[in-house]
Amino acid sequence: MGHKCYISFKTEDCWYKEEIQKWSDNDKVDMIDKSLNTPIDSEDEDYIMRKIREDYLSDSTVTIFLIGQHSAEVLGWEEQRFIKRELQASLYDGKGNTRNGILGVVLPSMYDSIYKGQYVCQTCGKTHNHVALNDMTIVKEFWKNYYLNNHGKCAYDKEDRFCVLAKWDDFKRNPNFYIEEAFNKRTQPIADDVIVRPK
């Protein structure tokens, strides 16, 4: 039985959402699609978000967040209000809403902006990957839960991150692996450190 997945995306990245849905239809990925496919007919933003929470997010277990060129925090609240609130609802763990695992899928247009290669650490002398997740590349709800608590280490390990990150090409090759990884984060100790509304 597949995980129930909600896909959070900007309108400009709709093609990628539809591609994932095709995989689901063709059994390439073992998931039950809980995504919003038609806009909710209302001008009331609070009503729209309540409907999304109740009808789509409440029984999903993984939120797949498509990270494209229009996903940055610096674009402002008005531009990002829906994806920010979808991620907040996904991160919230409370009555009537269990926390989702969060899988960020970096779209090809963002590879060079986010994946900056490797560097030699001046503290430990080892090589680390430089992943540029910040307000210039993505909303805070994701990056603040990707870089959570590394307990004073010089770099972040997998267990120091709640959010899972994958390039589109890697996700496309093995979507079930990354969805399962995000799903499993829900019960790992790092879930206790999740920040629902980061500042």
PDB file of all heavy atoms in Angstrom, residues 1 39 50 52 54 140 180:
ATOM      1  N   MET A   1       0.839  -1.190   0.000  1.00  0.00           N
ATOM      2  CA  MET A   1       0.000   0.000   0.000  1.00  0.00           C
ATOM      3  C   MET A   1       0.877   1.244   0.000  1.00  0.00           C
ATOM      4  O   MET A   1       1.774   1.376   0.828  1.00  0.00           O
ATOM      5  CB  MET A   1      -0.885  -0.018   1.246  1.00  0.00           C
ATOM      6  CG  MET A   1      -1.900   1.085   1.306  1.00  0.00           C
ATOM      7  SD  MET A   1      -3.196   0.806   0.104  1.00  0.00           S
ATOM      8  CE  MET A   1      -4.454   1.852   0.748  1.00  0.00           C
ATOM      9  N   PRO A  39      -8.572  24.159  -8.675  1.00  0.00           N
ATOM     10  CA  PRO A  39      -8.600  25.223  -7.668  1.00  0.00           C
ATOM     11  C   PRO A  39      -9.903  25.210  -6.871  1.00  0.00           C
ATOM     12  O   PRO A  39     -10.962  24.862  -7.386  1.00  0.00           O
ATOM     13  CB  PRO A  39      -8.491  26.509  -8.508  1.00  0.00           C
ATOM     14  CG  PRO A  39      -7.952  26.077  -9.821  1.00  0.00           C
ATOM     15  CD  PRO A  39      -8.411  24.668 -10.033  1.00  0.00           C
ATOM     16  N   ARG A  50      -8.336  25.956   4.884  1.00  0.00           N
ATOM     17  CA  ARG A  50      -9.061  24.986   5.714  1.00  0.00           C
ATOM     18  C   ARG A  50      -9.487  23.792   4.873  1.00  0.00           C
ATOM     19  O   ARG A  50      -9.353  22.639   5.286  1.00  0.00           O
ATOM     20  CB  ARG A  50     -10.281  25.656   6.365  1.00  0.00           C
ATOM     21  CG  ARG A  50     -11.023  24.713   7.313  1.00  0.00           C
ATOM     22  CD  ARG A  50     -12.018  25.425   8.198  1.00  0.00           C
ATOM     23  NE  ARG A  50     -12.847  26.408   7.547  1.00  0.00           N
ATOM     24  CZ  ARG A  50     -13.959  26.121   6.853  1.00  0.00           C
ATOM     25  NH1 ARG A  50     -14.362  24.876   6.724  1.00  0.00           N
ATOM     26  NH2 ARG A  50     -14.663  27.084   6.296  1.00  0.00           N
ATOM     27  N   ILE A  52      -8.044  22.713   2.114  1.00  0.00           N
ATOM     28  CA  ILE A  52      -6.838  21.950   1.773  1.00  0.00           C
ATOM     29  C   ILE A  52      -6.438  21.074   2.958  1.00  0.00           C
ATOM     30  O   ILE A  52      -6.141  19.893   2.799  1.00  0.00           O
ATOM     31  CB  ILE A  52      -5.686  22.890   1.347  1.00  0.00           C
ATOM     32  CG1 ILE A  52      -5.995  23.501  -0.026  1.00  0.00           C
ATOM     33  CG2 ILE A  52      -4.351  22.142   1.307  1.00  0.00           C
ATOM     34  CD1 ILE A  52      -5.040  24.594  -0.461  1.00  0.00           C
ATOM     35  N   GLU A  54      -8.339  19.989   5.509  1.00  0.00           N
ATOM     36  CA  GLU A  54      -9.336  18.969   5.830  1.00  0.00           C
ATOM     37  C   GLU A  54      -9.458  17.904   4.740  1.00  0.00           C
ATOM     38  O   GLU A  54      -9.576  16.713   5.042  1.00  0.00           O
ATOM     39  CB  GLU A  54     -10.708  19.630   6.034  1.00  0.00           C
ATOM     40  CG  GLU A  54     -10.787  20.463   7.294  1.00  0.00           C
ATOM     41  CD  GLU A  54     -12.093  21.252   7.389  1.00  0.00           C
ATOM     42  OE1 GLU A  54     -12.928  21.174   6.466  1.00  0.00           O
ATOM     43  OE2 GLU A  54     -12.267  21.963   8.406  1.00  0.00           O
ATOM     44  N   LYS A 140      11.282  29.506   4.205  1.00  0.00           N
ATOM     45  CA  LYS A 140      11.842  29.149   5.516  1.00  0.00           C
ATOM     46  C   LYS A 140      11.290  27.836   6.061  1.00  0.00           C
ATOM     47  O   LYS A 140      11.988  27.094   6.741  1.00  0.00           O
ATOM     48  CB  LYS A 140      11.546  30.251   6.531  1.00  0.00           C
ATOM     49  CG  LYS A 140      12.536  31.372   6.564  1.00  0.00           C
ATOM     50  CD  LYS A 140      12.202  32.337   7.679  1.00  0.00           C
ATOM     51  CE  LYS A 140      13.230  33.395   7.912  1.00  0.00           C
ATOM     52  NZ  LYS A 140      13.678  34.133   6.766  1.00  0.00           N
ATOM     53  N   GLU A 180       9.717   7.078   0.938  1.00  0.00           N
ATOM     54  CA  GLU A 180       9.846   6.251   2.149  1.00  0.00           C
ATOM     55  C   GLU A 180      10.770   6.922   3.168  1.00  0.00           C
ATOM     56  O   GLU A 180      10.495   6.913   4.375  1.00  0.00           O
ATOM     57  CB  GLU A 180      10.369   4.864   1.778  1.00  0.00           C
ATOM     58  CG  GLU A 180      10.427   3.886   2.930  1.00  0.00           C
ATOM     59  CD  GLU A 180       9.059   3.434   3.407  1.00  0.00           C
ATOM     60  OE1 GLU A 180       8.083   3.504   2.640  1.00  0.00           O
ATOM     61  OE2 GLU A 180       8.960   3.011   4.573  1.00  0.00           O
TER      62      GLU A 180
END
